[in-house]
Amino acid sequence: MKTSIAICPGSFDPVTYGHLDIIERAANMFDKVIVVVADNAAKNYCFTPKERVEMIKKCIPNLKNVEIEHYSGLLADYAAQHNATAIIKGLRAMSDFEYEFQMALTNKKLNPNVETLFLTTATQNMYLSSSMVKQIAAMNGDISSFVPEVIKQDIIDRIVQKNNTK
Ligand code: PNS
């Protein structure tokens, strides 16, 4: 029988409850899900690729059909190399749509065998983003409702470290 493989790509700088919800839902839909910690050329990351991978691993120790890895090339190539037939993305507000639509069409052009599927984000995660989490942490705000407890201190420590080296 054919194994259905999907990839969940993103920067995950850091992973939030919004991302985790999409990953869990994708894991219920596909035999195997690979969370691809990828690089967005437009972003300056706060966490290294290894740290971003490790934080996701800490958050989902029990999802047996989910693998997590960093990849620095083109997502369309990664999908082809791993026989993935779907790229799963979460859509929050309409503001996400244009950018996501552009990426979906580009990936389809680069790899016609892969479909991008959009999952609507859960309402409580509608306005949640990694940059918000970093901003709140930088101003000593409480990030407990946005990220799991197991990575909360990792985020606070990095933000404090960054503030101290300014
Ligand atoms: O969480 P983000 O920053 O919105 O994720 C964007 C990401 C990392 C998925 C995107 O930039 C990406 O796919 N990068 C890998 C390189 C690539 O394939 N670029 C062309 C995408 S159309």
Side-chain angles (χ1 to χ4, degrees), residues 9-12 19 38-41 43 45 71-76 89 99-100 102-104 106-107 110:
S11 292
F12 306 109
H19 300 124
D39 298 319
N40 180 339
K43 289 188 178 173
Y45 291 117
Y71 179 69
S72 55
L74 280 176
L75 202 62
K89 299 292 307 250
Y99 167 63
E100 292 296 346
Q102 187 186 22
M103 280 201 291
T106 309
N107 283 325
L110 294 172

Side-chain angles (χ1 to χ4, degrees), residues 76-95:
D77 291 342
Y78 185 93
Q81 287 156 19
H82 292 78
N83 299 318
T85 52
I87 295 173
I88 309 290
K89 299 292 307 250
L91 263 193
R92 290 168 299 190
M94 278 307 285
S95 51

Side-chain angles (χ1 to χ4, degrees), residues 2-153:
K2 220 171 129 191
T3 308
S4 60
I5 302 172
I7 57 182
C8 271
S11 292
F12 306 109
D13 189 52
V15 69
T16 67
Y17 277 132
H19 300 124
L20 294 167
D21 172 55
I22 300 295
I23 295 167
E24 279 177 31
R25 285 158 62 193
N28 286 332
M29 294 164 63
F30 289 86
D31 295 323
K32 178 172 153 183
V33 169
I34 313 174
V35 178
V36 184
V37 176
D39 298 319
N40 180 339
K43 289 188 178 173
N44 272 326
Y45 291 117
C46 187
F47 298 92
T48 65
K50 190 165 180 272
E51 287 168 338
R52 289 182 273 147
V53 168
E54 288 308 316
M55 282 192 283
I56 303 169
K57 283 189 180 165
K58 276 194 199 178
C59 294
I60 47 169
N62 299 323
L63 287 182
K64 299 296 175 224
N65 62 336
V66 177
E67 293 173 10
I68 305 137
E69 71 172 15
H70 172 247
Y71 179 69
S72 55
L74 280 176
L75 202 62
D77 291 342
Y78 185 93
Q81 287 156 19
H82 292 78
N83 299 318
T85 52
I87 295 173
I88 309 290
K89 299 292 307 250
L91 263 193
R92 290 168 299 190
M94 278 307 285
S95 51
D96 279 346
F97 186 72
E98 204 169 323
Y99 167 63
E100 292 296 346
F101 195 64
Q102 187 186 22
M103 280 201 291
L105 291 179
T106 309
N107 283 325
K108 185 76 183 162
K109 191 89 188 158
L110 294 172
N111 176 354
N113 297 321
V114 72
E115 297 291 343
T116 298
L117 304 180
F118 294 112
L119 299 186
T120 43
T121 193
T123 34
Q124 71 270 22
N125 299 323
M126 201 78 179
Y127 295 101
L128 177 51
S129 71
S130 299
S131 9
M132 280 297 169
V133 169
K134 285 178 283 192
Q135 269 187 47
I136 295 165
M139 291 171 188
N140 298 318
D142 182 11
I143 56 171
S144 310
S145 355
F146 312 124
V147 299
E149 197 61 34
V150 276
I151 60 165
K152 202 173 121 181
Q153 202 54 46

